[in-house]
Amino acid sequence: MFKSQINPVVFLGGALLLATPASGQDASGGSTVGSVRYYAGVGMANIKAGEYVYSGDRKISQLDWESKGVVTGTLGGDVDIGYAWKLKGRLDVGLGGNGYMEDRDWLSTSYSGWTHQSLHPDTELDRYINVLLEAEKALVDTGATRLGLGGGIGYTNVKWTARGGSYIYSDTTLHDTVGNFADGLKGISYEQRIPTVFLSANAEQKIGAFTLSGALRGGAAIAYKGVDDHWLRYLRFTDEMDIAPMIGATVTADYQLLPSTAVYLGGDFQKIFETRGDAHVRSTVNGASASFDDGGAADYQSIMVTAGLKGTF
């Protein structure tokens, strides 16, 4: 079970305090220089990541890490800095959830199916953090309609730990060894560190008390890294991936309650496509190490829905 000191109810309570009107400005008003809009909410996310090992062009191992229904908290805002420019920021953190991991190996060249498999339903989501910073310039801003282009940077960090579970191995003959790991025994931890750069296209339309907005992001993950600790083998694997294509999208619907307070419902999607990279392995006992060119790979995807309050000052 994911352990966190942040209670979702407390987080939403903070959101209610944040959204208390601080001035008479309209939360969805036009682009007034210096105006600040902020929001806070809670939501749920599905997060998954793939970890791969290659020998040349042949995949020999794949670990699928996934968490569903992760409770998330979101804080964000934007400020008009003049000349039709906005600066935007958003922080998403995991507040609760668990996961699942499946580990498969293909170690026989004469058999197309997997030779080794382990299943780990007791997989804990240790950490989920997502940050976006963006600058956007309006090309059209009528007060009711805004169209803009922008660019920015992002960073995602996600980590799981798998404990216990069952296994089927092929020691002498195919699938001849079946058993279970001890409950609670820490087997593998896996972390992805994903810095990104992107360009964006943004649109916003006000219709009465409603505001609909959306953004499309396209870019790349740079310095993309995966860190795998095999605790029972005392080994750390570090994969340093090549530049990976990235896409993302955000949609939001707001409803104005008060001149400076609105409620919102939003959705966010992010995908990092599979990319190869160099793999490094090091013994945590004696420090012995080895490297394998293009021996590792990774990918990542998240889908999140949030709801909360927006304010302005």
Side-chain angles (χ1 to χ4, degrees), residues 222-238:
I222 56 175
Y224 183 12
K225 183 177 289 188
V227 180
D228 174 310
D229 284 295
H230 272 56
W231 299 106
L232 302 180
R233 298 167 60 192
Y234 304 100
L235 295 174
R236 167 167 282 197
F237 299 85
T238 303

mmCIF file of all heavy atoms in Angstrom, residues 222-238:
data_model
loop_
_atom_site.group_PDB
_atom_site.id
_atom_site.type_symbol
_atom_site.label_atom_id
_atom_site.label_comp_id
_atom_site.label_asym_id
_atom_site.label_seq_id
_atom_site.Cartn_x
_atom_site.Cartn_y
_atom_site.Cartn_z
ATOM 1 N N ILE A 222 14.434 14.089 -22.566
ATOM 2 C CA ILE A 222 15.890 14.185 -22.677
ATOM 3 C C ILE A 222 16.508 13.759 -21.343
ATOM 4 O O ILE A 222 15.895 13.912 -20.286
ATOM 5 C CB ILE A 222 16.331 15.614 -23.035
ATOM 6 C CG1 ILE A 222 15.786 16.617 -22.004
ATOM 7 C CG2 ILE A 222 15.843 15.996 -24.436
ATOM 8 C CD1 ILE A 222 16.266 18.033 -22.207
ATOM 9 N N ALA A 223 17.699 13.199 -21.395
ATOM 10 C CA ALA A 223 18.351 12.685 -20.185
ATOM 11 C C ALA A 223 17.413 11.734 -19.434
ATOM 12 O O ALA A 223 17.383 11.706 -18.203
ATOM 13 C CB ALA A 223 18.807 13.832 -19.287
ATOM 14 N N TYR A 224 16.653 10.948 -20.187
ATOM 15 C CA TYR A 224 15.662 9.986 -19.678
ATOM 16 C C TYR A 224 16.417 8.820 -19.056
ATOM 17 O O TYR A 224 17.275 8.209 -19.689
ATOM 18 C CB TYR A 224 14.810 9.558 -20.868
ATOM 19 C CG TYR A 224 13.663 8.626 -20.633
ATOM 20 C CD1 TYR A 224 13.190 8.326 -19.371
ATOM 21 C CD2 TYR A 224 13.014 8.037 -21.730
ATOM 22 C CE1 TYR A 224 12.113 7.479 -19.189
ATOM 23 C CE2 TYR A 224 11.941 7.195 -21.570
ATOM 24 C CZ TYR A 224 11.497 6.915 -20.302
ATOM 25 O OH TYR A 224 10.425 6.061 -20.144
ATOM 26 N N LYS A 225 16.096 8.490 -17.806
ATOM 27 C CA LYS A 225 16.867 7.486 -17.085
ATOM 28 C C LYS A 225 15.946 6.525 -16.335
ATOM 29 O O LYS A 225 14.917 6.929 -15.783
ATOM 30 C CB LYS A 225 17.813 8.163 -16.095
ATOM 31 C CG LYS A 225 18.723 7.216 -15.320
ATOM 32 C CD LYS A 225 19.674 7.974 -14.410
ATOM 33 C CE LYS A 225 20.732 8.691 -15.202
ATOM 34 N NZ LYS A 225 21.779 9.285 -14.304
ATOM 35 N N GLY A 226 16.320 5.251 -16.324
ATOM 36 C CA GLY A 226 15.651 4.238 -15.520
ATOM 37 C C GLY A 226 16.640 3.622 -14.548
ATOM 38 O O GLY A 226 17.784 3.330 -14.923
ATOM 39 N N VAL A 227 16.217 3.439 -13.291
ATOM 40 C CA VAL A 227 17.080 2.868 -12.259
ATOM 41 C C VAL A 227 16.361 1.680 -11.643
ATOM 42 O O VAL A 227 15.265 1.815 -11.089
ATOM 43 C CB VAL A 227 17.430 3.901 -11.171
ATOM 44 C CG1 VAL A 227 18.331 3.258 -10.111
ATOM 45 C CG2 VAL A 227 18.104 5.120 -11.783
ATOM 46 N N ASP A 228 16.984 0.494 -11.736
ATOM 47 C CA ASP A 228 16.399 -0.764 -11.280
ATOM 48 C C ASP A 228 17.313 -1.380 -10.230
ATOM 49 O O ASP A 228 18.499 -1.624 -10.482
ATOM 50 C CB ASP A 228 16.257 -1.716 -12.479
ATOM 51 C CG ASP A 228 15.785 -3.104 -12.091
ATOM 52 O OD1 ASP A 228 16.364 -3.706 -11.166
ATOM 53 O OD2 ASP A 228 14.860 -3.617 -12.737
ATOM 54 N N ASP A 229 16.761 -1.630 -9.040
ATOM 55 C CA ASP A 229 17.492 -2.329 -7.979
ATOM 56 C C ASP A 229 16.930 -3.740 -7.834
ATOM 57 O O ASP A 229 15.763 -3.915 -7.463
ATOM 58 C CB ASP A 229 17.381 -1.579 -6.658
ATOM 59 C CG ASP A 229 18.259 -0.347 -6.604
ATOM 60 O OD1 ASP A 229 19.495 -0.513 -6.650
ATOM 61 O OD2 ASP A 229 17.715 0.773 -6.527
ATOM 62 N N HIS A 230 17.765 -4.751 -8.129
ATOM 63 C CA HIS A 230 17.427 -6.147 -7.879
ATOM 64 C C HIS A 230 17.975 -6.498 -6.490
ATOM 65 O O HIS A 230 19.150 -6.848 -6.335
ATOM 66 C CB HIS A 230 18.045 -7.054 -8.951
ATOM 67 C CG HIS A 230 17.177 -7.245 -10.154
ATOM 68 N ND1 HIS A 230 16.706 -6.198 -10.906
ATOM 69 C CD2 HIS A 230 16.680 -8.386 -10.731
ATOM 70 C CE1 HIS A 230 15.959 -6.679 -11.905
ATOM 71 N NE2 HIS A 230 15.923 -7.986 -11.806
ATOM 72 N N TRP A 231 17.105 -6.404 -5.484
ATOM 73 C CA TRP A 231 17.557 -6.507 -4.101
ATOM 74 C C TRP A 231 18.073 -7.900 -3.747
ATOM 75 O O TRP A 231 19.006 -8.016 -2.943
ATOM 76 C CB TRP A 231 16.425 -6.105 -3.163
ATOM 77 C CG TRP A 231 15.971 -4.699 -3.380
ATOM 78 C CD1 TRP A 231 14.822 -4.282 -3.987
ATOM 79 C CD2 TRP A 231 16.666 -3.508 -3.007
ATOM 80 N NE1 TRP A 231 14.749 -2.920 -4.034
ATOM 81 C CE2 TRP A 231 15.876 -2.409 -3.437
ATOM 82 C CE3 TRP A 231 17.882 -3.252 -2.365
ATOM 83 C CZ2 TRP A 231 16.258 -1.093 -3.231
ATOM 84 C CZ3 TRP A 231 18.263 -1.934 -2.153
ATOM 85 C CH2 TRP A 231 17.456 -0.878 -2.584
ATOM 86 N N LEU A 232 17.514 -8.938 -4.333
ATOM 87 C CA LEU A 232 17.940 -10.303 -3.995
ATOM 88 C C LEU A 232 19.244 -10.682 -4.692
ATOM 89 O O LEU A 232 19.908 -11.626 -4.281
ATOM 90 C CB LEU A 232 16.841 -11.297 -4.351
ATOM 91 C CG LEU A 232 15.487 -11.063 -3.682
ATOM 92 C CD1 LEU A 232 14.476 -12.124 -4.117
ATOM 93 C CD2 LEU A 232 15.631 -11.050 -2.161
ATOM 94 N N ARG A 233 19.588 -9.952 -5.752
ATOM 95 C CA ARG A 233 20.826 -10.217 -6.492
ATOM 96 C C ARG A 233 21.889 -9.163 -6.199
ATOM 97 O O ARG A 233 23.000 -9.257 -6.723
ATOM 98 C CB ARG A 233 20.534 -10.268 -7.994
ATOM 99 C CG ARG A 233 19.580 -11.381 -8.399
ATOM 100 C CD ARG A 233 19.080 -11.197 -9.840
ATOM 101 N NE ARG A 233 20.170 -11.211 -10.803
ATOM 102 C CZ ARG A 233 20.047 -10.849 -12.080
ATOM 103 N NH1 ARG A 233 18.859 -10.456 -12.543
ATOM 104 N NH2 ARG A 233 21.078 -10.891 -12.885
ATOM 105 N N TYR A 234 21.567 -8.163 -5.395
ATOM 106 C CA TYR A 234 22.509 -7.105 -5.017
ATOM 107 C C TYR A 234 23.078 -6.406 -6.252
ATOM 108 O O TYR A 234 24.279 -6.144 -6.340
ATOM 109 C CB TYR A 234 23.638 -7.678 -4.148
ATOM 110 C CG TYR A 234 23.135 -8.383 -2.910
ATOM 111 C CD1 TYR A 234 23.051 -9.772 -2.869
ATOM 112 C CD2 TYR A 234 22.710 -7.661 -1.805
ATOM 113 C CE1 TYR A 234 22.574 -10.431 -1.749
ATOM 114 C CE2 TYR A 234 22.235 -8.300 -0.667
ATOM 115 C CZ TYR A 234 22.161 -9.692 -0.658
ATOM 116 O OH TYR A 234 21.669 -10.346 0.456
ATOM 117 N N LEU A 235 22.196 -6.086 -7.192
ATOM 118 C CA LEU A 235 22.589 -5.439 -8.431
ATOM 119 C C LEU A 235 21.743 -4.196 -8.673
ATOM 120 O O LEU A 235 20.539 -4.184 -8.395
ATOM 121 C CB LEU A 235 22.425 -6.390 -9.627
ATOM 122 C CG LEU A 235 23.314 -7.634 -9.665
ATOM 123 C CD1 LEU A 235 22.901 -8.523 -10.838
ATOM 124 C CD2 LEU A 235 24.788 -7.244 -9.770
ATOM 125 N N ARG A 236 22.387 -3.162 -9.201
ATOM 126 C CA ARG A 236 21.680 -1.958 -9.654
ATOM 127 C C ARG A 236 21.909 -1.796 -11.147
ATOM 128 O O ARG A 236 23.051 -1.746 -11.603
ATOM 129 C CB ARG A 236 22.144 -0.714 -8.917
ATOM 130 C CG ARG A 236 21.672 0.585 -9.572
ATOM 131 C CD ARG A 236 21.849 1.810 -8.709
ATOM 132 N NE ARG A 236 20.794 1.870 -7.686
ATOM 133 C CZ ARG A 236 20.507 2.987 -7.003
ATOM 134 N NH1 ARG A 236 21.186 4.101 -7.220
ATOM 135 N NH2 ARG A 236 19.537 2.969 -6.100
ATOM 136 N N PHE A 237 20.791 -1.701 -11.886
ATOM 137 C CA PHE A 237 20.831 -1.471 -13.328
ATOM 138 C C PHE A 237 20.412 -0.030 -13.595
ATOM 139 O O PHE A 237 19.360 0.410 -13.123
ATOM 140 C CB PHE A 237 19.874 -2.421 -14.067
ATOM 141 C CG PHE A 237 20.206 -3.881 -13.892
ATOM 142 C CD1 PHE A 237 19.750 -4.591 -12.789
ATOM 143 C CD2 PHE A 237 20.963 -4.543 -14.835
ATOM 144 C CE1 PHE A 237 20.045 -5.933 -12.630
ATOM 145 C CE2 PHE A 237 21.270 -5.896 -14.690
ATOM 146 C CZ PHE A 237 20.809 -6.594 -13.584
ATOM 147 N N THR A 238 21.202 0.694 -14.363
ATOM 148 C CA THR A 238 20.886 2.071 -14.734
ATOM 149 C C THR A 238 20.868 2.177 -16.249
ATOM 150 O O THR A 238 21.870 1.881 -16.907
ATOM 151 C CB THR A 238 21.915 3.051 -14.157
ATOM 152 O OG1 THR A 238 21.962 2.911 -12.728
ATOM 153 C CG2 THR A 238 21.540 4.487 -14.507
#
